[in-house]
Amino acid sequence: MKEKKKIYLSSPTMHGDEQRLVQEAFDTNWVAPLGPNVNAFEKEIADYSGCGYAAALSAGTAALHLAAILAGVKENDVVFASSLTFSASVNPACYEKALPVFIDSETDTWNMDPEALRRAFEKYPHPAAVIAVHLYGTPAKIDEISEICREHGVPLIEDAAESLGSTLGGRMTGTFGDFGVYSFNGNKIITSSGGGMLLSKDAAVVERARFLATQARDPARHYQHSVIGYNYRMSNVVAGIGRGQLLHLEEHKARKQEIYRQYREAFADIPEISMNPLNPHGEANNWLSCMTIAPGCAVTPNQVMDALEKENIESRPIWKPMHLQPVFADCDFIQVREGMSVAEDIFNRGFCLPSDIKNTAEDMDLIISIVRRQFGK
Ligand SMILES: *Cc1c(COP(=O)(O)O)cnc(C)c1O
């Protein structure tokens, strides 16, 4: 029997420009770390985002780590972080031995609830940083969040790993915080095969990030070090792939948005299904389309994911909230209302639909018909 075609959640889509830029790197022997692709990629991302300055790094996680260091996060400092996110949002602050306090989501965008953030400040007046994410590409209420951070004089680290190209009020996500982070990991909206970028409006901050990312070598001929350094820079080959992908970001975004619209229309007659929220004040890149099932409905996310898996179609649970993770069992969690948190409720009732931009019309029809069948349609 012929193996069923695999349909992916979100896999790399290459166009040819990537290979051309990698070839250039080989032709000029700029294979080793840094080089013209790295410089150009930083400038292109800075220009695209309108942020000012960017440092190309080996991963989004590395960018989040340097952001935590540059924000001054130290041992036993409290940091506030979105609970509903991927663990890489929070782990880097823990490398510095910070104590995360997790903040619940609001239902409008699934992201950090500004009201819960205000409550957190009442309980812990002096956190070292706030780490807020734009989940699945939907812009958070980041203007409110950044205003609260400003009121308290606390640096905001904006984890825009999933939201490259998403905007709020016409402004790119990743540019609201004191530090912005993008990821070019394999399943993100564009990929360099692996890599990340740290953004700041402050040239000196980005210069310091580059310094820390290249082993923190003091300006002396001999190898001298006054602080602990890291090997976090992006290679010139990797940057070539990233530059080639950036040429196609708008195309990827349009296709992701189209996938979201298709799902929304296809499930519009099933009242038990809701699509993940968008932010009416912004534009989402719709990195992953997600759905939730109404409370009380007999159909479970696992049942739908199993049905898809049987047809060799990839889907994924919603990120399990950080405050429910064994590794963070001792951490505090701040929510607005008593009872089940918003983050846990989304986790229980939701999952991520296949959102690969290479999905054909037939692929989409197949996915949609399998999901609909679970609801008796
Ligand atoms: C992917 C991701 C990261 C980590 O980025 P890497 O480039 O894989 O290190 C961080 N935060 C969020 C929310 C992510 O989705």
Side-chain angles (χ1 to χ4, degrees):
M1 209 178 82
K2 198 164 149 271
E3 175 98 7
K4 279 181 192 124
K5 177 191 167 188
K6 172 119 180 162
I7 298 177
Y8 291 94
L9 184 79
S10 182
S11 69
T13 303
M14 295 292 138
H15 304 272
D17 292 302
E18 302 85 357
Q19 194 146 32
R20 173 175 58 78
L21 288 154
V22 168
Q23 190 59 49
E24 262 178 46
F26 274 74
D27 291 345
T28 54
N29 203 32
W30 273 114
V31 171
L34 307 180
N37 276 335
V38 172
N39 299 338
F41 194 26
E42 288 179 340
K43 174 136 191 358
E44 286 158 7
I45 285 285
D47 290 348
Y48 175 79
S49 67
C51 190
Y53 303 91
L57 302 167
S58 53
T61 307
L64 284 156
H65 188 199
L66 294 183
I69 292 168
L70 292 164
V73 172
K74 285 187 279 299
E75 187 165 0
N76 293 325
D77 282 350
V78 165
V79 296
F80 296 157
S82 304
S83 181
L84 190 60
T85 186
F86 179 49
S87 63
S89 293
V90 195
N91 285 337
C94 299
Y95 303 163
E96 296 305 308
K97 301 190 166 56
L99 308 172
V101 169
F102 295 109
I103 312 294
D104 199 9
S105 297
E106 31 79 0
T107 53
D108 296 342
T109 77
W110 289 7
N111 291 302
M112 182 181 278
D113 184 345
E115 200 183 332
L117 179 62
R118 284 194 189 282
R119 287 199 174 199
F121 271 107
E122 285 164 20
K123 190 163 175 187
Y124 304 94
H126 303 294
V130 173
I131 306 162
V133 71
H134 304 279
L135 212 64
Y136 302 126
T138 293
K141 297 179 179 179
I142 197 72
D143 44 352
E144 277 180 67
I145 291 167
S146 77
E147 184 52 39
I148 296 168
C149 290
R150 205 169 14 249
E151 278 168 30
H152 292 268
V154 171
L156 172 61
I157 298 171
E158 195 186 352
D159 182 353
E162 301 180 359
S163 68
L164 177 61
S166 303
T167 58
L168 187 75
R171 188 164 152 195
M172 287 283 169
T173 57
T175 69
F176 288 82
D178 300 275
F179 308 91
V181 170
Y182 294 142
S183 165
F184 311 109
N185 184 37
N187 64 15
K188 297 284 160 44
I189 191 159
I190 61 168
T191 181
S192 62
S193 76
M197 200 74 80
L198 179 68
L199 287 86
S200 170
K201 291 175 247 340
D202 187 342
V205 163
V206 167
E207 203 40 59
R208 185 76 181 164
R210 292 189 188 120
F211 165 78
L212 293 173
T214 45
Q215 312 285 19
R217 200 181 148 193
D218 291 339
R221 172 178 268 182
H222 53 276
Y223 279 72
Q224 177 170 297
H225 307 272
S226 306
V227 294
I228 298 294
Y230 302 86
N231 184 2
Y232 276 172
R233 271 301 237 167
M234 182 181 280
S235 92
N236 198 53
V237 172
V238 163
I241 304 174
R243 290 185 69 202
Q245 285 271 283
L246 189 56
L247 297 171
H248 298 273
L249 174 56
E250 292 310 306
E251 195 180 315
H252 286 203
K253 191 166 99 177
R255 188 67 195 108
K256 293 274 191 188
Q257 291 171 338
E258 177 57 25
I259 288 169
Y260 179 91
R261 269 195 297 274
Q262 269 178 286
Y263 282 132
R264 192 177 52 193
E265 277 162 34
F267 303 143
D269 63 329
I270 305 177
E272 292 87 355
I273 297 180
S274 303
M275 293 301 293
N276 60 305
L278 304 179
N279 188 328
H281 306 292
E283 185 194 20
N285 70 7
N286 291 112
W287 171 55
L288 293 185
S289 289
C290 310
M291 56 172 266
T292 53
I293 302 171
C297 179
V299 183
T300 65
N302 279 335
Q303 177 185 331
V304 187
M305 286 190 285
D306 286 345
L308 290 168
E309 197 176 311
K310 250 189 227 131
E311 299 297 321
N312 210 16
I313 300 170
E314 215 177 27
S315 60
R316 178 194 272 175
I318 297 293
W319 300 126
K320 182 174 178 177
M322 291 302 113
H323 75 281
L324 302 176
Q325 299 286 352
V327 68
F328 296 126
D330 296 334
C331 297
D332 201 359
F333 173 63
I334 309 288
Q335 62 189 103
V336 173
R337 268 163 293 280
E338 301 274 295
M340 190 191 288
S341 66
V342 173
E344 185 171 1
D345 182 48
I346 295 166
F347 168 63
N348 287 341
R349 296 193 291 109
F351 70 98
C352 307
L353 289 154
S355 308
D356 198 296
I357 59 172
K358 290 182 296 314
N359 284 353
T360 63
E362 293 73 38
D363 295 338
M364 289 300 291
D365 287 346
L366 178 62
I367 299 160
I368 287 164
S369 69
I370 294 167
V371 174
R372 288 180 61 83
R373 209 176 307 138
Q374 307 308 308
F375 292 85
K377 296 281 183 175

